[in-house]
Amino acid sequence: MTKKMQGAVLDGIMSIGVHEVDMPVPRPDEALIRVHCIGVCGSDIHYYEHGRIGRYVVDSPLILGHELAGQVVEVGANVRNIEPGDRVAVEPGIPCDRCDYCKAGRYNLCPDVRFMATPPIDGAWAEYVAVRSDFLHRLPDELSYEEGALLEPLSVGFHAMRRAGLGPSDRIYISGLGPVGLLAVTAARMHGVSRIIGGDVLPLRREMARELGADAVLDPADESVADRLAELTGGRGVTAVIESSGNARAVADTIGNVRRGGKVVLIGLPTSREIPLDVTQLVDKELDVLGVFRYANTYPAAIDALLHDDHPIERIVTHRFALDEIATACEVARTQKDLSVKVMIYPHSPDARAHV
Ligand SMILES: [Zn+2]
Ligand SMILES: [Zn+2]
């Protein structure tokens, strides 16, 4: 008889509840993970609120959630790299390993990737999840489960730094300080970026960026971003703009806000597909424009970097809920953008209060 567990199931727009679902059984190359904590991501809330993101449509009940860490409880017969009892961060996208992209190491572009909480693939807002073992990354004792879960959004910024080849000779502006933008501050420090400026309209997020090590912050609703960036860089300008807000105006403004010869890195997804860009300026300034989609090969390096990082990234976790509070958790993430940054779910509720 199949064992059962509790899972949070989205069964319609704005309709989510905890139900008894089948407990996954690990295949020979998989491990069963007891989910310790798992974040609520902007994409989860988008599915919750609209039932779709672009071409991905929720047309049957779906378990959301893809930012998690937990403990290995059982391994399949072929698993060698981890064992029961290990604390692990879970990388949530399993690629095919066979296509050109996978072979080239760019497995984030694999057309056959099975990414958690992207319909029809279930995520892990549940007590347990089975994951292919080479996508489990052992957490050193020094790192908490929450840091393990935050490796997922951190990876996006980490990948952005690599894509743009940013390092000590760079001065950057991070536009938008949601979880991804905030953790891009951390990723930028990890890559030795010499000057990091963050911008967001919400005071709490600017304050967190400072705590995570941004050298300066600005409010794009209240001041001229271009003027302020010039002032903060002694007139030299920023060598890269990392756009993580997805705000159409902010995306268009990246071209004007970066210095000549600079890089524009686009992470945030705007709600409209088409945004006017000043192409004459883009050409005249000889800009590199780079898209960033998820990440590849970031977890091991980001774990090492976190071990040497002295700014606690858990600071961005503003709310912690048990699994049966999932509806409240979604509403907090959806409606309280000024007070909430990262909302964390603890599927085994006693862990929720005695967290980290
Ligand atoms: Zn996410
Ligand atoms: Zn592939």
Side-chain angles (χ1 to χ4, degrees):
M1 203 184 78
T2 329
K3 283 198 223 162
K4 298 288 181 184
M5 67 171 183
Q6 301 293 309
V9 181
L10 178 74
D11 50 19
I13 288 178
M14 311 266 271
S15 166
I16 192 164
V18 173
H19 302 293
E20 198 162 77
V21 295
D22 287 350
M23 189 150 144
V25 178
R27 289 190 299 223
D29 60 350
E30 291 182 337
L32 186 68
I33 308 301
R34 178 187 191 270
V35 181
H36 186 91
C37 60
I38 176 162
V40 175
C41 177
S43 66
D44 297 317
I45 294 305
H46 203 94
Y47 284 123
Y48 165 75
E49 190 171 7
H50 303 286
R52 66 182 300 157
I53 297 179
R55 62 193 168 99
Y56 301 102
V57 181
V58 183
D59 46 22
S60 57
L62 184 74
I63 297 178
L64 294 170
H66 61 261
E67 304 174 352
L68 67 144
Q71 192 167 32
V72 178
V73 291
E74 186 185 331
V75 296
N78 301 337
V79 172
R80 298 285 175 270
N81 62 321
I82 44 143
E83 42 190 64
D86 284 349
R87 299 161 69 249
V88 291
V90 176
E91 188 176 343
I94 311 297
C96 80
D97 289 347
R98 288 182 156 77
C99 70
D100 292 355
Y101 296 111
C102 283
K103 286 182 174 172
R106 300 183 72 178
Y107 61 81
N108 54 320
L109 304 181
C110 174
D112 297 318
V113 68
R114 294 169 57 85
F115 200 94
M116 282 186 195
T118 303
I121 311 297
D122 274 329
W125 284 353
E127 291 180 296
Y128 296 90
V129 65
V131 183
R132 208 174 80 188
S133 74
D134 54 328
F135 285 82
L136 299 171
H137 305 275
R138 198 182 288 113
L139 281 175
D141 293 343
E142 295 89 331
L143 298 186
S144 67
Y145 281 113
E146 286 197 345
E147 287 175 297
L150 292 172
L151 279 166
E152 203 280 335
L154 173 64
S155 281
V156 179
F158 208 89
H159 182 59
M161 298 302 137
R162 283 181 174 170
R163 279 275 287 146
L166 300 181
S169 56
D170 286 290
R171 304 176 295 278
I172 71 171
Y173 173 54
I174 300 174
S175 154
L177 300 169
V180 167
L182 284 167
L183 294 173
V185 172
T186 299
R189 276 195 299 97
M190 288 171 167
H191 284 78
V193 171
S194 64
R195 192 144 181 84
I196 304 164
I197 303 160
D200 198 284
V201 296
L202 298 171
L204 173 63
R205 295 175 181 219
R206 293 198 298 273
E207 184 189 313
M208 285 185 176
R210 293 287 286 158
E211 288 174 38
L212 289 180
D215 299 294
V217 289
L218 58 83
D219 178 355
D222 189 51
E223 49 201 328
S224 156
V225 175
D227 291 353
R228 199 62 211 296
L229 292 179
E231 182 191 315
L232 289 165
T233 56
R236 294 183 300 165
V238 293
T239 59
V241 174
I242 314 293
E243 208 311 296
S244 74
S245 74
N247 176 282
R249 173 77 195 280
V251 172
D253 286 351
T254 54
I255 307 294
N257 288 338
V258 71
R259 83 192 306 237
R260 299 190 80 192
K263 290 161 181 163
V264 170
V265 184
L266 301 175
I267 302 177
L269 275 185
T271 45
S272 65
R273 298 165 71 124
E274 297 181 15
I275 291 173
L277 287 185
D278 183 342
V279 178
T280 55
Q281 216 188 151
L282 191 158
V283 172
D284 184 75
K285 289 171 114 175
E286 202 171 73
L287 303 182
D288 292 335
V289 180
L290 301 161
V292 164
F293 183 67
R294 297 175 182 155
Y295 43 78
N297 299 307
T298 50
Y299 274 68
I303 287 172
D304 280 348
L306 264 188
L307 281 174
H308 302 285
D309 194 75
D310 49 3
H311 299 62
I313 59 172
E314 296 105 316
R315 177 66 181 87
I316 74 165
V317 180
T318 49
H319 295 77
R320 296 174 174 90
F321 292 104
L323 191 64
D324 56 13
E325 300 170 293
I326 193 71
T328 310
C330 287
E331 281 305 301
V332 165
R334 189 177 77 86
T335 61
Q336 299 183 21
K337 298 250 192 290
D338 51 338
L339 298 173
S340 73
V341 178
K342 181 56 73 186
V343 175
M344 202 60 87
I345 307 297
Y346 280 79
H348 300 267
S349 40
D351 298 345
R353 304 308 162 206
H355 74 90
V356 295

